[in-house]
Amino acid sequence: MSNTHAGYLSLASATLFGLLFAVSASAADVTKLVEPCFSCHGKEGNSTEADVPSIASFSDKYMGDTLNNYRNKVRPCIETEYRSNGKKGQKTSMCAIAKELSDSDVQQIVEYFAAQTFVRTPQKFDAELAKKGKGVHKLRCDSCHGEGGTLPGDHAGILGGQKVSYLREQIKLFKEGKRPMVKKMKPKLDALSDADIEAVINYYGSIQ
């Protein structure tokens, strides 16, 4: 083998090693960045906490908007606490957490969770209410939350299979004007009675 060919091979090997090292380092950085999220939202974003949503598969657009809303305190800064890991029991809020994230951090976090698989929550629901709620969803919600609110590509979170207690609390915040909503959502939500809302929540809970 000529010295020239050997030099090319050596350069190619060094370049490949450098790329692999960069990818490995990047993966390690992302893992370190998202691990604190697992404390509340569960491993890979699938929560076991009744009041904490599963966020696996949420679109990067929806999650990016959500984190920016918390950074700007547009969404309520509800106090909570870390559920596990070294910070278990420490008080915090999503606004406090989001405030510490750079734009690059946000981008890496949303891309990570968008690539995970959403695990639907096994939970109790009222079958009769769920049946009624399916009709309510079809009439009022389906245009933005397709296929029972299970499509990440709608950029509207995931409702089907989500924690019913969490959904109930978030709808309450929407109704009270404490959480912002897109303009076309308000008249549809205002048209729902309390009974309609409870029915549609049971419908989402029935998707398991």
Side-chain angles (χ1 to χ4, degrees), residues 41-109:
H41 292 282
K43 186 177 180 181
E44 297 175 350
N46 286 297
S47 168
T48 58
E49 304 287 340
D51 61 331
V52 179
S54 292
I55 56 176
S57 292
F58 278 22
S59 75
D60 51 1
K61 181 184 185 309
Y62 178 80
M63 275 202 69
D65 289 345
T66 297
L67 287 173
N68 282 325
N69 282 340
Y70 280 127
R71 290 163 94 185
N72 297 319
K73 296 186 177 182
V74 176
R75 280 186 63 163
C77 301
I78 298 172
E79 187 177 72
T80 184
E81 62 183 41
Y82 289 100
R83 313 304 169 91
S84 63
N85 301 333
K87 294 184 177 181
K88 183 177 180 180
Q90 291 184 28
K91 301 295 184 182
T92 188
S93 73
M94 278 304 305
C95 293
I97 292 169
K99 182 182 178 181
E100 299 301 318
L101 301 175
S102 68
D103 290 344
S104 176
D105 292 339
V106 169
Q107 189 60 35
Q108 291 183 79
I109 288 170

Side-chain angles (χ1 to χ4, degrees), residues 53-200:
S54 292
I55 56 176
S57 292
F58 278 22
S59 75
D60 51 1
K61 181 184 185 309
Y62 178 80
M63 275 202 69
D65 289 345
T66 297
L67 287 173
N68 282 325
N69 282 340
Y70 280 127
R71 290 163 94 185
N72 297 319
K73 296 186 177 182
V74 176
R75 280 186 63 163
C77 301
I78 298 172
E79 187 177 72
T80 184
E81 62 183 41
Y82 289 100
R83 313 304 169 91
S84 63
N85 301 333
K87 294 184 177 181
K88 183 177 180 180
Q90 291 184 28
K91 301 295 184 182
T92 188
S93 73
M94 278 304 305
C95 293
I97 292 169
K99 182 182 178 181
E100 299 301 318
L101 301 175
S102 68
D103 290 344
S104 176
D105 292 339
V106 169
Q107 189 60 35
Q108 291 183 79
I109 288 170
V110 301
E111 288 178 357
Y112 173 85
F113 285 110
Q116 306 310 308
T117 300
F118 184 88
V119 177
R120 295 172 180 174
T121 303
Q123 55 195 328
K124 294 180 179 179
F125 64 91
D126 185 304
E128 286 300 315
L129 281 179
K131 184 177 179 180
K132 176 186 176 184
K134 184 176 182 178
V136 174
H137 168 86
K138 192 69 177 176
L139 180 64
R140 299 290 183 184
C141 312
D142 189 66
S143 61
C144 294
H145 301 281
E147 295 187 18
T150 63
L151 301 179
D154 286 338
H155 306 305
I158 295 178
L159 306 180
Q162 190 59 266
K163 313 288 184 297
V164 294
S165 54
Y166 171 77
L167 293 176
R168 197 172 283 120
E169 177 62 23
Q170 295 307 303
I171 291 177
K172 181 174 181 287
L173 292 175
F174 279 130
K175 293 283 285 184
E176 293 174 348
K178 295 178 180 178
R179 178 177 169 180
M181 67 181 103
V182 296
K183 187 176 180 179
K184 59 184 176 181
M185 178 179 171
K186 189 176 189 311
K188 294 185 177 184
L189 184 59
D190 287 345
L192 300 181
S193 66
D194 290 344
D196 289 335
I197 290 172
E198 191 59 27
V200 80

